[in-house]
């Protein structure tokens, strides 16, 4: 961690991206094993709570270092069609926000993966930021990824995440100014989520050339751990990103695999993606 | 309850120049502005509401927009261009028309209608789109996207895009496309692309979600021309700025016409853009009561409504913290209203603040009450109002009856209603509501009847009287 100046937000935990961070530790374990971290997104409650738990465990046992459990939400503006369809179905099937703690607890108990929750902010606000954080920590969760909460509005979350020792993963984008990258890096604990493209979630044919610059900007601002997400779906993407980032985040492709082939398919895709870090593995294209 | 004209009353000379009125709405000198002033709050926060609850990808665009707006609103050249278009394109100042026969049904109060329905494109929406489209051009954007509920904002956006030679894409809930087919055709005729949104409730909130997705992906070339005083900073303050001309004009006009301020000002509230525009002219006039009327749908007790402030809780949606219709998990609850333009589960953050501090009273109006007022204005004044605006008219009837109760001379009570739009787009909805259509959807007769479910149809005039007597039936 560089000795950057404290962020405008107050920077309560400036400089401790890695300190006592479960997700940073997971990335470091992957690094010690000679590879980069695989971060896998799956929505809680899709298609039902138990299958979501089974899928997350299958992904973790097939090489994912960090599991990102998404809370289905009525207005997911950063999500593309595949994930929105899945989360809409989860809601229709009766998903309740409190269910996410059961999923986190089950996956944490049965795997070595760090388990983060990805959530839009209103469900957290509704439960109460402190109460949500307390229950997440109690369930063994590593922290939160917040796609519509920027550090500028996160005072309550700073306090709660410090109190319960949770990671706070903020996003940086190709459009982020150097000042905002620096401020976001300082506010973050765990890893910085580098958005590879200007757009929403969804599989794309190739990884944007913007991703490398975003990662470089975050590293330049002092981030120890930077993972790249959005539009990452194939082993060749993973290999490409591994050349410059600390981890690779895959979502839509896994959700599509779960939709089309159930738990075995999502486990198989995770294995393909995780073994792509090995330079000896030939490039293949999955059907996801 | 009479008010003395204030020192800043402008009289005829003040109203013959729309540009002067508009310029005064920004940062011009104004004797009423004091430290306690509620007017022109700059954002990003209104009390604890507002802010920027948005993806990081859009923050740079919001910063650019804020910077462009802050410079433009003090740039005489920009303000003069807006004022010129307001005057010679949109038709400002809009009239302030006294509705004498309608007022008889509001306890005998004098009702004045601020005629935003007479603006080009038929609603107040043109005020905001002209301003934002000029800002988009300043930023070098070539493409405009917009969301629309009733279609009025979409039509206005398509109009501004045509005027300035920009590409325009309008997101509209599939359900709203059905309800407002005429406006879909209008947008297409103006050269815009209309994208039906099939996610979620297929209404305004989902159209906003899809517009935001488009914006994230195309922000370099595209300006998101948000249609209401909601969303992330600077939208609430900026949209209000372009609509403040409504209140500035209305205040000067009523002073000119009757020599004093009104007792009450009424407007309908969905996101709240027309309302915040007219309210701003009167927020610092402590003697003027201000009312916002939300869409009560089938009745707030039924759960099928869009009465966000009445029954919502503070939360975050579409970039701002404000009142929000949400369940115990923070999931947005789908709203309902016969009026597509009010069918939104959120509300602009400045309204949330004005509600909390008690400066503005917010009350629900049911679909039935609004439709009764729709018919009443049509048949007493020869003005067919938008169903959105009909909520304000129904509210004015209630307010008029309250304020005139026990008064020796009810006509001493003066109420201004913001007639935010005209009802052309709503004719089919109204015809269906009033049972005017046969099984094939053709008009059965030439006289409005009550809905068939209500039994025999009295004559139009008698019916108007009956509704005025009992505006809360159903």
């Amino acid at each position: 961690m560089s000795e950057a100046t404290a962020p405008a937000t107050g920077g309560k935990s400036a400089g401790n991206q890695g300190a006592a961070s479960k997700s940073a530790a997971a990335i470091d374990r992957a690094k010690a094993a000679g590879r980069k971290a695989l971060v896998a997104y799956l929505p809680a409650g899709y298609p039902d709570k138990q299958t979501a738990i089974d899928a997350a465990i299958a992904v973790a046992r097939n090489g994912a270092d960090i599991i990102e459990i998404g809370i289905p939400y009525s207005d997911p503006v950063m999500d593309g069609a595949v994930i929105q369809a899945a989360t809409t179905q989860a809601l229709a099937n009766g998903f309740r926000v409190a269910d996410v703690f059961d999923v986190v607890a089950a996956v944490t108990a049965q795997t070595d993966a760090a388990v983060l929750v990805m959530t839009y902010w209103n469900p957290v606000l509704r439960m109460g930021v402190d109460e949500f954080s307390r229950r997440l920590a109690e369930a063994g969760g590593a922290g939160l990824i917040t796609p519509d909460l920027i550090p500028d509005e996160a005072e309550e979350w700073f306090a709660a995440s410090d109190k319960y020792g949770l990671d706070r993963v903020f996003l940086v984008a190709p459009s982020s100014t150097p000042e905002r990258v620096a401020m976001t890096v300082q506010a973050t604990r765990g890893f910085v989520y580098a958005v590879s493209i200007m757009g929403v979630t969804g599989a794309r044919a190739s990884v944007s050339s913007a991703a490398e610059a975003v990662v470089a900007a975050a590293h330049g601002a002092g981030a120890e751990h930077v993972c790249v997400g959005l539009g990452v779906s194939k082993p060749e993407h993973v290999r490409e990103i591994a050349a410059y980032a600390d981890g690779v985040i895959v979502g839509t492709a896994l959700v599509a695999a779960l939709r089309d082939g159930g738990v075995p398919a999502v486990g198989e895709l995770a294995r393909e993606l995780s073994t792509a870090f090995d330079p000896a593995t030939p490039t293949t294209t999955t059907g996801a | 309850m009479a008010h003395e004209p204030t020192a800043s009353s402008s009289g005829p000379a003040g109203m013959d120049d729309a540009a002067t009125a508009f310029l005064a709405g920004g940062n011009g000198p104004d004797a009423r502005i004091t430290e306690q002033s509620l007017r022109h709050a700059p954002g990003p926060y209104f009390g604890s509401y507002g802010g920027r609850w948005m993806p990081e990808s859009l923050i740079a665009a919001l910063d650019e927009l804020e910077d462009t707006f802050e410079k433009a609103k003090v740039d005489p050249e920009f303000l003069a261009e807006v004022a010129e278009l307001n005057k010679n394109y949109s038709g400002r100042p809009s009239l302030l028309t006294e509705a004498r026969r309608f007022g008889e049904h509001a306890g005998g109060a004098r009702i004045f209608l601020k005629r935003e329905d007479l603006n080009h494109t038929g609603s107040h929406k043109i005020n905001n789109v002209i301003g934002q489209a000029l800002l988009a051009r300043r930023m070098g954007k070539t493409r405009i996207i917009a969301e629309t509920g009733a279609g009025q904002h979409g039509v206005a956006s398509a109009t501004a895009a045509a005027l300035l030679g920009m590409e325009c894409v309008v997101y509209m809930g599939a359900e709203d496309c059905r309800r407002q087919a005429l406006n879909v055709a209008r947008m297409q005729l103006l050269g815009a692309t209309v994208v039906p949104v099939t996610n979620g409730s297929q209404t305004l909130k989902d159209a906003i979600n899809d517009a935001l997705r488009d914006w994230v992906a195309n922000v370099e070339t595209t300006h998101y021309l948000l249609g209401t005083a909601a969303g992330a900073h600077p939208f609430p303050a900026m949209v209000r700025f372009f609509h403040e001309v409504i209140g500035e004009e209305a205040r000067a006009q009523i002073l000119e016409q009757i020599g004093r301020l009104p007792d009450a000002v009424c407007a309908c509230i969905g996101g709240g853009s027309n309302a915040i525009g007219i309210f701003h002219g009167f927020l610092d006039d402590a003697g003027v009561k201000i009312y916002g009327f939300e869409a009560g749908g089938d009745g707030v007790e039924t759960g099928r409504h869009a009465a966000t402030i009445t029954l919502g809780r503070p939360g975050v949606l579409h970039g701002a913290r404000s009142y929000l219709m949400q369940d115990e998990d923070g999931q947005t609850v789908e709203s309902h209203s016969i009026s597509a333009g009010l069918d939104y589960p959120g509300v602009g953050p400045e309204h949330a603040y004005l509600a909390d501090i008690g400066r503005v009273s917010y009350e629900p109006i049911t679909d039935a009450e609004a439709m009764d007022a729709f018919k009443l204005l049509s048949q007493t004044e020869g003005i067919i109002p938008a169903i959105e605006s009909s909520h304000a008219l129904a509210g004015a009837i209630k307010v008029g009856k309250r304020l005139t109760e026990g008064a020796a001379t009810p006509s001493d009570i003066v109420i201004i209603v913001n007639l935010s739009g005209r009802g052309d787009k709503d004719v089919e909805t109204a015809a269906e509501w009033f049972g005017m259509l046969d099984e094939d959807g053709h008009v059965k007769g030439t006289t409005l009847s009550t809905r068939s479910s209500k039994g025999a149809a009295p004559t139009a005039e008698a019916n108007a009287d009956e509704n005025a007597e009992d505006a809360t039936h159903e």
Side-chain angles (χ1 to χ4, degrees):
Chain A
M1 191 72 197
S2 71
E3 293 181 3
T5 53
T9 52
K12 290 185 174 63
S13 297
N16 69 347
Q17 246 196 81
S21 160
K22 289 183 178 178
S23 37
I27 295 169
D28 286 339
R29 280 198 300 275
K31 190 175 180 182
R35 58 185 179 80
K36 300 299 176 69
L38 178 64
V39 183
Y41 166 93
L42 288 169
Y46 175 71
D48 55 66
K49 187 158 84 174
Q50 189 54 51
T51 308
I53 291 169
D54 293 343
I57 290 170
V59 166
R61 288 179 178 166
N62 281 283
D65 303 285
I66 296 173
I67 307 296
E68 185 184 329
I69 300 295
I71 293 184
Y73 177 55
S74 52
D75 296 273
V77 294
M78 277 295 286
D79 286 311
V82 170
I83 289 178
Q84 183 169 16
T87 54
T88 299
Q89 189 181 328
L91 288 170
N93 290 349
F95 169 84
R96 298 298 305 269
V97 168
D99 292 335
V100 80
F101 304 119
D102 298 336
V103 178
V104 169
V107 179
T108 302
Q110 295 176 62
T111 74
D112 296 328
V115 182
L116 288 161
V117 168
M118 194 292 290
T119 182
Y120 294 89
W121 198 240
N122 201 50
V124 180
L125 272 183
R126 187 72 182 88
M127 182 174 289
V129 179
D130 190 87
E131 171 69 4
F132 189 101
S133 301
R134 185 189 64 75
R135 293 178 71 173
L136 178 61
E138 201 173 87
L144 291 178
I145 300 174
T146 54
D148 65 345
L149 179 73
I150 54 176
D152 316 54
E153 304 283 7
E155 279 300 323
E156 258 191 295
W157 170 225
F158 289 145
S161 54
D162 284 347
K163 182 176 173 184
Y164 297 105
L166 295 170
D167 290 343
R168 41 180 189 248
V169 176
F170 291 108
L171 282 60
V172 293
S175 58
S176 300
T177 60
E179 294 75 22
R180 289 199 61 79
V181 171
M183 185 264 283
T184 306
V185 164
Q186 286 295 296
T188 294
R189 180 164 50 228
F191 64 89
V192 173
Y193 190 128
V195 173
S196 68
I197 42 152
M198 294 299 288
V200 298
T201 63
R204 288 169 175 82
S206 61
V207 177
S208 161
S209 58
E212 188 167 1
V214 179
V215 173
H219 277 149
E224 282 182 28
H225 306 102
V226 185
C227 300
V228 173
L230 258 60
V232 184
S233 62
K234 301 173 181 175
E236 54 262 43
H237 297 165
V238 168
R239 205 182 332 275
E240 186 183 333
I241 293 167
Y244 56 83
D246 306 294
V248 183
I249 306 165
V250 182
T252 296
L254 290 166
V255 176
L258 180 59
R259 175 194 67 197
D260 297 338
V263 172
V266 78
E268 172 60 20
L269 177 57
R271 193 193 57 74
E272 269 188 62
L273 293 167
S274 62
T275 54
F277 289 120
D278 179 356
T281 306
T283 297
T284 56
T285 301
T286 73
Chain B
M1 299 206 43
H3 303 278
E4 294 299 319
T6 67
S8 62
S9 70
S10 38
M15 269 321 300
D16 65 7
D17 187 351
T20 303
F22 181 77
L23 292 167
N27 291 294
D30 188 329
R32 290 173 289 157
I33 302 300
T34 65
E35 281 185 13
Q36 287 75 42
S37 176
L38 291 170
R39 306 174 75 227
H40 312 313
Y45 301 102
F46 308 89
S48 63
Y49 303 101
R52 277 187 181 168
W53 308 82
M54 278 297 227
E56 171 65 24
S57 297
L58 291 174
I59 300 301
L62 291 167
D63 280 340
E64 180 189 21
L65 179 61
E66 180 183 8
D67 183 58
T68 305
F69 168 60
E70 291 298 330
K71 287 175 179 155
K73 77 178 188 182
V74 294
D75 177 352
E77 194 178 321
F78 176 82
L79 295 174
E81 188 171 13
V82 174
E84 193 277 328
L85 286 169
N86 278 352
K87 182 176 179 182
N88 295 320
Y89 186 72
S90 306
R92 303 210 71 87
S94 64
L95 301 180
L96 187 72
T97 303
E98 181 161 10
R100 290 187 174 80
R101 296 187 63 224
F102 182 83
E104 291 170 11
H105 301 278
R110 294 181 74 185
I111 305 282
F112 290 79
L113 307 175
K114 182 57 177 163
R115 300 292 304 280
E116 294 298 294
D117 61 312
L118 295 179
N119 293 345
H120 180 47
T121 73
S123 79
H124 70 291
K125 295 291 186 186
I126 194 78
N127 307 327
N128 171 46
V129 299
I130 292 279
Q132 282 200 50
L134 290 174
L135 289 178
R137 193 175 66 184
R138 280 199 160 207
M139 292 185 288
K141 312 283 186 185
T142 57
R143 180 172 177 265
I144 279 173
I145 54 173
E147 83 297 334
T148 197
Q152 291 300 82
H153 175 58
V155 168
S157 297
T159 299
L163 180 68
L164 298 184
M166 303 171 93
E167 182 188 353
C168 183
V169 175
V170 180
Y171 291 89
M172 188 170 185
E175 168 66 13
D176 290 338
C177 288
R178 184 194 65 77
R179 289 196 281 191
Q180 304 289 351
L182 182 63
N183 271 342
V184 173
R186 290 171 77 193
M187 287 182 265
Q188 290 172 339
L189 288 169
L190 290 161
T193 302
V194 180
V195 181
V197 175
T198 54
N199 294 322
S201 57
Q202 307 189 10
T203 58
L204 183 55
K205 114 181 149 62
D206 306 286
I208 294 176
N209 289 339
D210 270 19
L212 284 169
R213 292 184 172 109
D214 182 318
W215 201 27
V216 172
N218 300 292
V219 71
E220 279 191 20
T221 61
T222 300
H223 173 62
Y224 179 12
L225 209 168
L226 186 68
T228 194
H233 179 67
F235 281 107
M238 181 177 69
V239 173
R240 182 202 68 221
F241 176 81
F242 291 123
H243 283 308
E244 283 178 24
V245 66
I246 305 171
E248 292 296 318
E249 286 180 6
R251 190 174 188 280
Q253 286 167 320
I254 198 72
L255 288 171
E256 180 194 344
Q257 291 187 28
I258 68 166
R260 69 171 178 91
L261 292 171
D263 298 289
V265 173
C266 300
C268 64
I269 305 271
S273 67
N274 88 86
I276 205 73
I278 194 164
F279 290 175
H280 257 256
F282 302 93
L283 280 178
D284 289 345
D285 298 310
V288 179
K289 294 181 168 62
I290 304 180
Y291 297 90
F293 293 101
E294 304 189 303
D298 291 346
V300 292
E301 70 287 351
T302 67
R304 282 174 51 79
H305 61 84
T308 307
I309 293 179
T310 305
L311 284 182
R313 290 166 167 269
V316 168
L317 179 68
H318 296 148
R321 181 173 188 273
S322 188
Y323 279 96
L324 174 64
M325 286 171 55
Q326 56 181 316
D327 68 13
E328 291 176 355
D329 274 357
Q331 309 284 356
T332 309
V333 170
E334 290 183 10
S335 55
H336 165 78
S337 170
I338 190 171
S339 156
L342 303 183
D343 197 350
Y344 180 60
V347 66
E350 194 167 6
H351 287 294
Y353 174 64
L354 293 172
D356 276 10
I357 64 171
R359 178 63 187 99
V360 179
S361 302
Y362 295 87
E363 300 175 17
I365 294 291
T366 63
D367 288 352
E369 289 170 329
M371 294 311 293
D372 288 345
F374 174 97
K375 183 165 57 179
L376 186 63
L377 191 77
S378 300
Q379 297 183 355
T380 57
E381 299 292 340
I383 298 169
I384 298 178
I387 295 177
E388 287 79 9
S389 317
S390 300
H391 287 70
L393 292 164
I397 291 171
K398 291 184 173 182
V399 168
K401 288 179 177 174
R402 264 185 243 158
L403 296 184
T404 57
E405 192 176 358
T409 49
S411 61
D412 283 349
I413 299 297
V414 174
I415 299 170
I416 296 179
V417 182
N418 199 25
L419 198 68
S420 56
R422 68 185 181 221
D424 304 34
K425 68 186 173 56
D426 295 319
V427 166
E428 188 175 337
T429 302
E432 192 177 336
W433 176 272
F434 291 116
M436 293 168 62
L437 305 180
D438 62 23
E439 288 177 357
D440 298 325
H442 298 130
V443 177
K444 285 192 287 195
T446 55
T447 303
L448 291 187
S449 63
T450 52
R451 283 191 298 165
S452 54
S453 61
K454 292 179 186 168
T459 64
E461 188 62 37
N463 195 36
D465 290 342
E466 171 201 320
N467 291 329
E469 289 299 317
D470 183 16
T472 59
H473 72 87
E474 281 211 335

